[in-house]
Amino acid sequence: MTTPKQKILIVDDEPDILELIEYNLKKEGYQVFLANNGQEAVTIAKKVMPDLIILDIMMPKMDGIEACRLMRSMPEFKNTFMVFLTARSEEYSEIAGFNVGADDYIAKPIKPRALISRINAILRRNVYNEDNFENKLEIGDLVIDREAFVVFQNGNKVILAKKEFELLYLLASKPGKVYTREIILKNIWEDSVVVTNRTIDVHIRKLREKLGENYVTTVKGVGYKFEL
């Protein structure tokens, strides 16, 4: 069960969608606030300071992309999770969302159980801090020990090369967060001039070969994320 004090703002111009999401989130103990367009979302967000904002993309007055861009430019929303909710499945919409600072992307039609699971996972991300990693992560059937550079899967030791381990640890530090190739290069390879995007792809492939296909997901045109 999630913390009752967490606040979620839902922004959509379809009343049925607002009602469906509001009902399911309140059942989980969240405080829920509603807005019908991007302009209204910005106004309400400033008043209630939500922990997470769910934004439809196609809305009147101000669409979700512009609302997200505007709020991300405000210091008070620097750490607010923002998730896009849209019926559009085109790749460019997803890329545009991540480019303005979205944390995740959920497609309609809404499946309540899947939505709640995704929201719960997103709000758990603040347990991890990119600048202050814990020495050990225990996620699902994985135990990742940063101090010993050891990974166990279902109790079995998995041998990873140093960069493979560092890449896995970076992605797993915030499950569900999309890491762009630029961020991965900066964190894992720093300023090495011989590293290319192809290098990242090769290391991702090796991780999948050793751990299975279910942990690391490709977000086309953007980067990679760790799935719970």
Side-chain angles (χ1 to χ4, degrees), residues 46-209:
K46 287 180 178 179
K47 292 180 180 178
V48 304
M49 295 305 298
D51 299 284
L52 182 146
I53 302 174
I54 302 174
L55 286 158
D56 187 30
I57 286 187
M58 301 301 294
M59 293 185 294
K61 295 186 178 180
M62 181 186 291
D63 64 29
I65 297 289
E66 185 57 34
C68 181
R69 189 198 316 275
L70 178 59
M71 286 188 282
R72 280 295 189 226
S73 70
M74 303 176 184
E76 58 266 41
F77 298 114
K78 178 182 178 181
N79 297 317
T80 303
F81 292 111
M82 297 194 191
V83 178
F84 279 117
L85 179 69
T86 180
R88 300 178 67 179
S89 58
E90 295 93 335
E91 181 179 315
Y92 73 84
S93 295
E94 187 169 349
I95 294 172
F98 286 123
N99 284 341
V100 295
D103 294 285
D104 213 332
Y105 190 98
I106 300 173
K108 298 177 183 177
I110 301 299
K111 297 179 181 179
R113 292 182 63 183
L115 174 69
I116 294 301
S117 177
R118 183 76 66 86
I119 295 304
N120 289 342
I122 291 169
L123 286 170
R124 282 198 298 269
R125 293 179 195 171
N126 59 11
V127 173
Y128 308 107
N129 185 306
E130 290 180 22
D131 299 320
N132 186 28
F133 288 126
E134 297 293 333
N135 283 329
K136 182 181 291 186
L137 297 180
E138 297 185 21
I139 306 176
D141 60 4
L142 292 181
V143 176
I144 309 171
D145 190 331
R146 189 176 186 226
E147 194 171 76
F149 265 77
V150 173
V151 176
F152 290 92
Q153 183 180 40
N154 290 317
N156 300 312
K157 187 175 181 179
V158 180
I159 304 299
L160 298 180
K162 184 175 184 292
K163 291 301 183 184
E164 294 168 11
F165 180 93
E166 291 175 350
L167 177 56
L168 174 65
Y169 204 98
L170 175 68
L171 298 175
S173 67
K174 286 194 174 182
K177 174 181 172 62
V178 178
Y179 284 87
T180 65
R181 294 173 181 274
E182 290 76 15
I183 293 297
I184 292 173
L185 287 171
K186 179 180 178 181
N187 280 271
I188 305 302
W189 283 275
E190 298 178 340
D191 298 322
S192 175
V193 296
V194 298
V195 176
T196 66
N197 286 337
R198 178 60 179 164
T199 302
I200 298 176
D201 296 337
V202 169
H203 281 72
I204 292 292
R205 177 174 56 79
K206 290 180 179 179
L207 282 178
R208 288 169 173 163
E209 289 174 354

